[in-house]
Amino acid sequence: MNSLELARQALLTAARCALAVPADEVSVADQPWPDPEGLWLPLAAFMEAIGGTESFGRDGAVDPLQARLRGDLGLGRLDSWLVCLCLATEFFPDAAAAASLLAEEERVHLVTPVAFARIAHQALGTAYSEGLRCALEGGEARRLGLLDVVEALPGAPVTQRGLRIAVRELSGLLAAGTAESVASLATSLARSPGRVWVEREKPAPSSAFDESRVVGAAALLAERGIVCLRTDSRRAAQQLALDLASQRQEPALFLRAEEELPSAAELARLGEGLPVLDLIDRGHSAADQLGLLRALSALEPPCLVLVSTTAEVGRFASLSVPSLGYPEAVRVWQLSGQPTEVAERLARRFRLGLGEVRAVVREARDQRAASGASRGHAGSKGLTRAVLSQGARRMGKLVTHLTSDARLEELVLPTRQRRLLDDVIGWYEASSRVFGEMEMHPSSHLGRGLVCLFSGPPGTGKTFATQCLANRLGLNLYRIDLSQVVSKYIGETEKALATVFDEAEAGHGLLLFDEADALFGKRSSVKDAHDRYANIEVGYLLQRLESFSGVAILATNLRSNMDQAFVRRIRFLLDFPMPDRPMRQLLWEHALPGESYRCEQLEFEPLIERFRLSGGSIQNIGLAAAHLAATTPSGQVSTQHLVRATYRELEKTGQARSKGDFGPLADLLEEAV
């Protein structure tokens, strides 16, 4: 017989004994019920046998429910049986009817403090006052949120209030289907995270952050119980949390509330480890967050809460967490088992937390094994591929991952712009040395990121230059999808952008804001609510760019529409002009197929001279001419194909395309059109 069945029998026995009291007598609460049939003695022996050992949850556990309640949750003897009695009223209708009879109120089908105190006195041998105090104060069961108290009926004493299992606990129990499934029942009781997502990260042998910072934070956590980590970087806060857990020699339990905030009871039942609740950008109100913090303050186990820098934490202790820098990144890679040389090389490019690096190492090793190579160190190239691959998956639908084989050697630009691009590359490659070895500290609030503005007419090579730059730097290229990022709901745009910026700061991607004036446009005077919230979004972008430490390219055709406040935060500004005659010559050469696919008499000099086209338009003409040639037997591009493709491109762009404009090629125009 299990403890749930025993609790049912205890309620039925108590009701049967209560009915044995003569109708003209008043039962004395602190005295045993009459027991003419001798029912209590064997029942008490069973309850003592199941609930009498102190080894629950260890080697001597025999009843899963009691083992979970007493072994894992640390409930005392009285508390554990109080929970069992309340569960019995939920699972067994006859137990609920018995509880109603004991409460002497047909509207209350729950265990009352008086009923529990009398059952504990009769079956467990405890003093009536001790059982009553446990039920009234709630003890550990109430502190963990396992029990709710039903308000007493008007005129009824508080000792007649009903006690029941909290609804969030009961939902998991009812899903078990039958009362006999005690193992499932116990598991759902003790480990029902419900509305939280949990990830366990094992401790590390040492810290990534400076040891003095970690030791000080650990001391504050031990003293205050709850510490809020304020940060703009979730990744950095998670790493400091793992460092603190490692300092305590226990795993970190990372939790994220997707919708509703978890209860303090849910956090208390997670088992061994340091709970780390992530509330960054979750949209919870300040009142809800403060309410949860107050509830957590009643728990004995310490807890970390990750919040944004602007969150309200009231009187609770808080620490500001800086972004992961080069020294921290080196230590993270070393903690994953990488040699110092490899760790330093990877740290110059990627700023990841230890949990992410561990996942990268596993993926790189798996890929190595799948290719037939022996297991072992994947090497920096394998790790780099794994970082880029994982980064692309984490970005999800907020961005479009652009892939190309574009190389800087293929980029046609004036000398000045090309030198500026070389400076951009040099800035990126030297950044870790400047802010690490050279101990250079920014003299302003601007971040260490690399933000560039590419401006110029359509088709002048802004996007292509960005592709070349991403390939040269060895980064993924993410184009921001405005349809996914911009939302009509207040705060959602900022939340999506926060995710994008945070991932880019890890170092695995270059952000391309195409048509940047749509997001970074000038702020306007506030005439309605739409203007107000549009200005809030621009203000958020300004603040986020200040602290940004990744690489971003803002591309626009309308530089004059950009808010001037953004220009101050830009490291490099490149104007992409319409190509001159020598540049157009190179662009035409690059746009056409190889020599073997060109007619011997191919003539495109007049097109170069007469039409001032952008590189994008010339590329379109070359592609269209190649398709026209592919439909002919020879498969070679002729001058007629070029004239025909050029005419169509001019038609699209609205430029002059009369017969006289084509000069010596005018005779081919009639056939082309």
Side-chain angles (χ1 to χ4, degrees), residues 461-517:
K462 299 183 294 296
T463 302
F464 185 73
T466 305
Q467 293 173 336
C468 296
L469 188 62
N471 289 335
R472 174 62 178 79
L473 300 180
L475 301 174
N476 288 333
L477 176 57
Y478 301 128
R479 182 170 61 195
I480 308 302
D481 189 343
L482 295 181
S483 66
Q484 296 294 336
V485 171
V486 178
S487 173
K488 65 180 179 180
Y489 298 106
I490 298 171
E492 290 300 314
T493 299
E494 292 87 337
K495 187 187 299 183
L497 286 170
T499 301
V500 170
F501 277 117
D502 200 36
E503 291 300 327
E505 283 181 325
H508 57 68
L510 183 155
L511 295 181
L512 170 60
F513 290 88
D514 213 353
E515 308 297 339
D517 49 286

Side-chain angles (χ1 to χ4, degrees), residues 2 20 32 74 136-137 242 331 344 346 351 384 430 457 468 480 488 533 587 653 663:
N2 58 56
L136 285 173
E137 296 177 357
L242 180 56
R331 286 192 286 269
E344 291 176 349
L346 292 169
R351 305 284 199 270
T384 297
C468 296
I480 308 302
K488 65 180 179 180
Y533 291 113
L587 290 169
T653 58

Side-chain angles (χ1 to χ4, degrees), residues 77 205 228 302 360 363 451:
R77 183 172 176 234
C228 299
V360 164
E363 180 172 334
V451 182

Side-chain angles (χ1 to χ4, degrees), residues 302-315:
C303 179
L304 293 170
V305 182
L306 312 186
V307 297
S308 65
T309 53
T310 58
E312 175 60 49
V313 297
R315 60 180 176 82

Side-chain angles (χ1 to χ4, degrees), residues 39 137 181 229 268 366 433 524 535 608-609 611 630 671:
L39 300 176
E137 296 177 357
S181 181
L229 302 183
D366 291 343
R433 184 179 182 186
S524 60
N535 288 347
I608 298 174
E609 291 287 349
F611 299 108
E671 300 179 24

Side-chain angles (χ1 to χ4, degrees), residues 648-660:
R648 291 179 177 176
E649 186 67 22
L650 293 170
E651 192 174 33
K652 287 193 303 182
T653 58
Q655 297 186 50
R657 53 190 182 279
S658 65
K659 190 172 182 179

